[in-house]
Amino acid sequence: MSKAETFLFLLGGLLMVVGAGCFAFMWHREVASWIFLVGAVLFSVMQTRQTYSGTSLVIRRLKRIQLLSGILFILTGILMADTAVHFLLPLFKGEGGYISYITYIYNKWVIALLIAAVLEVYTTHRLSHELEKEKKL
């Protein structure tokens, strides 16, 4: 990665941390959710640009899992923004609509973030281990 791409990658991660922290501590939730979403997009796009041209199936699988993690980070940002602004609420019309919205959408960003973070930590650890193993061969 170039220096600019590395900077954007780190900036995306920092924005995600700041956005999630501010949102969790209920400090300017509307702004914090959009900060997280911008950070998630930057982080995920820069991570996707890191390509692997080798032949290891394990590393290719881990890169696909990282792609899934990036998608979940972006979904987390969308759900976080919806929790603050409720822009998906009009999709739930009719009797029991608000209850369905609360059941299926509201505050579900926590679950998506947890899954994405666990996948990211796992793939980062395993990728570094597998790349070191590949260098030794």
Side-chain angles (χ1 to χ4, degrees):
M1 282 182 20
S2 70
K3 287 183 181 182
E5 289 174 333
T6 303
F7 174 75
L8 291 175
F9 181 70
L10 293 174
L11 178 65
L14 179 67
L15 289 174
M16 286 171 53
V17 170
V18 168
C22 290
F23 195 87
F25 290 114
M26 296 185 185
W27 189 72
H28 298 288
R29 294 182 93 184
E30 294 83 10
V31 176
S33 62
W34 294 107
I35 289 172
F36 182 89
L37 184 57
V38 168
V41 169
L42 277 174
F43 183 84
S44 299
V45 168
M46 290 301 116
Q47 190 173 55
T48 304
R49 290 183 49 87
Q50 295 175 349
T51 59
Y52 172 70
S53 58
T55 59
S56 172
L57 292 176
V58 173
I59 295 176
R60 288 178 188 258
R61 176 185 55 88
L62 290 169
K63 291 298 286 178
R64 283 192 300 265
I65 293 172
Q66 268 190 336
L67 177 64
L68 174 64
S69 174
I71 291 168
L72 284 173
F73 278 133
I74 293 171
L75 178 65
T76 298
I78 292 169
L79 290 174
M80 191 183 284
D82 177 69
T83 297
V85 183
H86 307 293
F87 59 83
L88 293 177
L89 182 59
L91 298 176
F92 294 87
K93 295 181 181 176
E95 190 172 329
Y98 186 72
I99 300 299
S100 296
Y101 169 76
I102 295 295
T103 302
Y104 299 116
I105 302 294
Y106 188 75
N107 270 344
K108 299 307 184 258
W109 65 271
V110 177
I111 297 167
L113 180 60
L114 177 64
I115 295 169
V118 167
L119 289 176
E120 189 67 34
V121 168
Y122 169 74
T123 56
T124 302
H125 173 70
R126 290 287 297 141
L127 270 172
S128 65
H129 182 270
E130 290 296 325
L131 288 171
E132 285 297 320
K133 217 164 66 171
E134 188 176 80
K135 279 183 185 177
K136 291 179 183 177
L137 297 177

